[in-house]
Each structure stands twice: as C-alpha cells, then as structure tokens.
Amino acid sequence: MKSQKWTYWATTAALVCLSVSPAQAAAEAVAATTAAKSAVQTPLYKDASAPIERRVEDLLARMTLEEKVAQLQTIWSEKKEIFDAKSELDPAKLTARYPNGIGQIARPSDRVGEGSPRQVPGRDVAATIRLVNDLQRHAMTKTRLGIPILFHEEGLHGYAAIGATSFPQSIAMASTWDPDLIRETNVVIGREIRARGVTLALTPVVDVARDARWGRFEETFGEDPYLVGEMGVAAVEGLQGTGKARTLAPGKVFATLKHLTGHGQPESGTNVGPASISERALREYFFPPFEQVINRTGISAVMPSYNEIDGRPSHANTWLLGDVLRGEWKFNGVAVSDYGAIDDLKNLHGLAATFDDAAILAMKAGVDSDLPSGTNYANLIKLVREKRISEAQVDVAVRRMLDLKFRAGMFENPYADAKSAIALTNNAEARALALKVAQRSITLLKNDGTLPLAMPKAGGTKPSIAVIGPSAAVARLGGYYGQPPVTISILDGIKAKVGSRANILFAQGVKITEGDDWWEDKVTLADPAENRKRIAEAVAIARNADQIVLTLGDTEQTSREAWAKSHMGDRDSLDLVGEQQELFDALKALGKPVTVVLINGRPPTITKIAGEANAILEGWYLGEQGGNAVADVLFGDINPGGKLPVTFPRSVGQLPHTYNHKPSARRGYLFTEATPLYPFGYGLSYSKFEIAAPTLSSAKIAKDGSVTVSVAVKNVSGRAGDETVQVYIRDKISSVTRSVIDLKAFKRVTLAAGEEKTLSFTLGREAFQMWNDKMQRVVEPGDFDIMVGPNSVDLKTVTLTVSE
C-alpha cells in the first residue's frame, strides 16, 4: 500500500508541473498504480527481460529447502510411478509423489526407464512430446513456483530414440578426420533431440581411448588427445552452436562433456577400473580434449568418470572437479553425475559407509545433479537439518541447475510441437548426411588391386558375388543406438547397387552370439558345432562365386559398456570372437578373391587375415546407411579416404599400444614384432598421392612465436580422391621425457586427378608447450622435428629451432 501511495503522489506532482489536464492525470495515475501492482505480483524470476543472474537469485531466495533439493534430483525408472495404465502421465500420482516438483527427468523417449527398447518399445515422436508437454504443463502451472523440468537424452551418434537418425558410431566418425562433418552431424542430432522438448544431451565422449580391451572404445574419438579435442569441439559446436554464447538458440541442446577422466585406460581394460595414471600423464594425454572444449566452446555440462585416480573416485575428487575443472579451466556450468556413480562411492569404491556419506562427498566435490534416480541427493534435506552439510552448499548446486534452465529459455517456452518435430526427424537431409558420414568413415587398410569391384554391365554376363558373414545381412549400429525407421545392411546395399546385373549369393557363415541386443545382460556365444555347419554351407555357396565379400568383427554384445557385473562388455582378447577365423580360412582356401569388411567396436588382432585377404575395409559401426556406403566403396562410386584414429596392435600383449609413446617404450619382444599391424593415422585410397617435404616460414622462432608449415600434396593418379595430411612434432631434447611424436595439425583434402595443392598449418605456443618437472606449462627452447605425412609412420621431416 505504501508503494501505491508514493506512486500516486509522485505522478500527480509531476503532472502539476507539466500543466496537464485532470482527466489525463487521473488516467496516467491509474496506469502507474496498475504497473506497480503488476511489479508486485510478477516475480523477478518470471521477467524474461531481467538478467539471468538476478532471475536465478530471486527464485533461489523464494525456494524452500525441499524445493531446492528437488531440483538436484532426477527420475528415470521411477517414471512408471507417475504413469497410468497406458504409460501416460497421471497428474494426481505426480503431485502425490513429487509435491515439491522435479528437477530433471531422464530419457522421456523410453517408456518405463531402464531396459531394452526391443523388449519394451519406447515412445515415438508424438508420444514423447505429449509426455514432455504434459509434464511441463504440470510443473509450470501446478507447482508452487512453476519451475520447468530439465529433460536429458542420449545422443552419442544420433538421438537414441524411435524414429531418429542413426549415424556411424563415434570411432567411425573420428575416422573421417573431418571436424566440419562432425559439426554438421551434431547439428542434426541436436535438432532432433530439441524438437521433442529436450534441452540436455549426454554427449560427446572425449575420453582418450588407450586400451582396446575396454568395451567403450567405440564410443570415443580414438587414442590421440589432439584429434579427440578437435572432434569434441566440433561436436559441441554442432549441438550448442559456435562460440561461447551462454543462451540456447532454437534447435540447439546443451552438450555434456564426458567422462572426466582417465576412463579410457582402466586397469586390465575393464570398465570403471582404476586409472593408474600419473598427474603428468593426465595433463599430457587425458586432460587436453576437455580443456580444449571448455576453452573454445560454451559447453555447459560436464560428467565425471566412474573410475578412481590415485585412490580418489572422480565423483568425490575435489582436485579434479574443483581445482582443475572450475579453477584452472574456469568452467562455470553444471557437473552431472554418471548413472549410479554416486551410489558407487558406497557400493563399489568403499569410500562412503552410507548413501548419506556418498551424497556429502559428491556435493562437496562439486557434483550438482544426481543421475539417474536422485536417491542419494534426496537425503540432502535430512543432512542439512543434521548440519552435516550446509544449505549454502546445496544452494551452489541449485543455482547452477536453475541457471541452465533459464539459459535454455525453459521458463518462457518449455513446450515442443509434434508436427514440426515429425517433419524434421530423419528427414531426407538427415538420411543423406548419415550416408555421407558413413562413406567418409570407411578406411581402406589393404588392397592388392581387387577393389574397386567392376560394376557388371547390363545385359552382359552376370558375375556371382558371395556376400558372407555375421554382419552381412544386419545393420549393426553399435552401443547407445537409436531405432531409425529404416536400416540398410551390406547385403541390402550391394543388391541395390548391382540390381539384376549380378547374382548375389548369401550365407551367414557363422553366428557370433546367440543374441545381439546391447541391453541384454547375458551374452551367449554361438554353438561352435552349428557354426561349422554354417561354414560348410558358406563354402558350398562361395564355390560358385567370382568374388567374396566377407564381413567379420563384433556384435553389439561383444564390444559394449560393462555397466555391471551382470552386464559385461570388456574382453581379455582382441581376436575375432568364435569361429570367424575358421570361416575366413575356409573361404580363402577356395582361391577366390576375398574382400574383408570389418564391422566392429574395437581394433581386432587380425594378423593372419591382414596377410592373406585381398582387400580389407574398416567400417566400425556405420549407422543406418552403412550398407549403402559399403556398396558405394566396394564398387568405386566412393573413393575411400578414412584414416585410423587408433593403432591396430598385432596382439593383445602389446597393449597399451599407442603411437605417442615415450622413448623407452617399444623395445620389443621375443619371437614377435613390436610394430603395430596398422599405425595411427593410416588409410589407403584408390588414388595415389605424393606429399612433399615440409617447409617452414622461419627456421627459428621465439618461445611465444609461431611458424607456418607448408606442404605440397599431389594426386599422381588418374582418379579423384581424398588425402589427409598430418603434422606431427618431436621435441628432440627436453627436461622431462616427452612422447616420441605428437599430432598437432591435420587437414583432409580432395584432389582431382593430377591436381596439386599446398596446405599451410600454423603452429604456435600451444603446439610446443609441455609440463616441466615443476608441473608448470612452458615452452622449452631447443630443436623440434616437424614431421608431415599421410600417417604417423611415413613422415618427412624439417627441423625448427625455438629460442629463448
């Protein structure tokens, strides 16, 4: 009332001074009073024009402790507790179960939470949006403060949902060595997720993978920190937009950088195993991709890893999440837990006696949100009242979660539109892009001239092509897969390519596992006796063939995330599973040309096959259009240009076997070679290229200076193709040991027949810096080898001197 009297008096006095009419004065006084009432009635946090920081603080000040804690919790499998018999939202159940609101809901596209979508089909576009909108409408209109719900989904290589586009797995995308293409791909992934009302995607993975026994190898961009960093930056820019903008534009989602860190080299190659990694190794190999993404993008969410480092699990590691992440790197977004990782502080690591203790450890370390079920952070209300943790500490996490929601524009428009979402999901543009990425992912590892296969002429003699193998007639998508409307197997792709101009013969050859559902816990190997019958059938069919295309590798069960003792996915061998080697041997004995197509999640040990096959293509998991892409490469419509983002070892005994090892490593073994089967960065083409020796803009630079490396690359064949020019450095003498070689730049370039281009790369302080014996980042003066070539082995060198 006091403010209204003051408004009326001030308005009247001003009007008298301006000599306005009494009627006008009365009208404007009423308007001023109405505005004052509106200001009182509309909280600042609902004012879209107010600064986000002020909106967050205004809302936080209004919240009870119970409402605060609700914002830090997530529900996943508990969704079924708020559904009716048709798995639709029951508002009464929601109100009774969550009277203080819900902070976050996991995977609205699934139906009841954890479980295989093959067993319990998820929600299509319209059903997902109906659920999201119903939940948001309830949150906005039926809870005291009207705080919208944050939804998250998986989007590693496509939105993991019914109807969405499925792109090649991350390890395949890394084989493109094309950050622009990865950015373009993640634009599509992000918009398909956002179209369903979801604003947080749990991707990308920027773990540096240094042990191929690890089942999550396929989820990564490979073994090199620079390559992983460039791909990670591109992925985040595609999902969120370029630059460091703090607000989320239409069609964009917040990305989640994961898993911080050391996850890619677990002890014995087993998932969640200790990362026995020194601080120096962390800073040299594992930190750089995270730091690059944080420095160059607006990344707003980070997920810690399951593993421990030096006795401290990442979810309780104040040095990692506090000193490094928020201190050194100045990250100011949210830290969300990996699924069940706070529980693991008690159940697995033995760091906490109770879930209360686990919640305190994670909260103090800086974990803001408890995924996927929030059971630990539900205890925060009790813990605050018991004074075991302060409400101020809870406020820090709540502030970050609210900030994310405001920056997503959720308070203004949390709803999705089914019609527009259906129109853009898996549309023609997305399918064409999925094909392009698959084509550019395929890596040619060997070719004696067998490829490309000649396209049969219409009306001519029909050749016979035997398409054989466990992945010939099924499109394998890899872990965290979605359910695209249509998938193309290699058999489908070849048939579509040649039509009636060739006789296409098919045999399964062997079965790897009895099932291939990534979600299923139990993995049963196929019966060897039955497989040998299948091999005999395949041989009988192949006798009549002119060419054999043989698929070998994995299923989604033989290379996958081992998320529990009941759900294994790591292996102590990299040999082909089951009777696949026997199948190859039997077919090779026929004397027919054999082209092997690898469909797999990790680099296999295939030394015998590498020596005897006529041609080998590495495909990894190629997504929904994989079969068309393989056919395009086999018949020469696409010239393969992929490069390996990992080293192929000769045996599991070589692990870890990365190209950027220390000088004292790789001395050798008795009775076998120490060299890799295929080196990092390797890949052939149907074209032939010549890369000249590099030249430098200056033979000497200062420590803070830069140098331009120029290199000419020429296509010396009669066919257009792609070559990826790679730039490596080696510090000849340093105060602490350094890698023998480190990737610092690369460029994939398309050259017409006979065409030559000169590429230029600028290397600055960042390329030459190191961590010295005082763990300071410095550039030490001295000589550096600058090496350029098509892979990490076949290199030409020039020397650069860095002075004081």
Side-chain angles (χ1 to χ4, degrees), residues 505-572:
L505 312 174
F506 166 71
Q508 187 178 25
V510 297
K511 200 173 185 180
I512 301 175
T513 51
E514 290 298 337
D516 60 2
D517 188 350
W518 180 78
W519 284 90
E520 187 176 349
D521 290 336
K522 186 177 180 180
V523 177
T524 302
L525 291 175
D527 180 5
E530 291 299 316
N531 267 344
R532 291 186 178 105
K533 293 178 182 178
R534 295 184 182 104
I535 291 172
E537 293 170 359
V539 168
I541 289 172
R543 288 187 194 279
N544 301 314
D546 301 295
Q547 292 277 349
I548 300 171
V549 176
L550 173 62
T551 69
L552 300 171
D554 286 312
T555 73
E556 287 86 349
Q557 290 190 335
T558 61
S559 178
R560 64 178 184 177
E561 179 182 1
W563 63 61
K565 288 185 177 180
S566 60
H567 186 96
M568 305 304 286
D570 311 306
R571 292 181 53 221
D572 67 355

Side-chain angles (χ1 to χ4, degrees), residues 205-225:
V205 171
V206 293
D207 294 309
V208 174
R210 293 170 67 87
D211 193 326
R213 294 173 297 179
W214 184 47
R216 304 193 75 173
F217 200 95
E218 67 186 61
E219 299 176 34
T220 77
F221 292 127
E223 73 182 40
D224 178 71

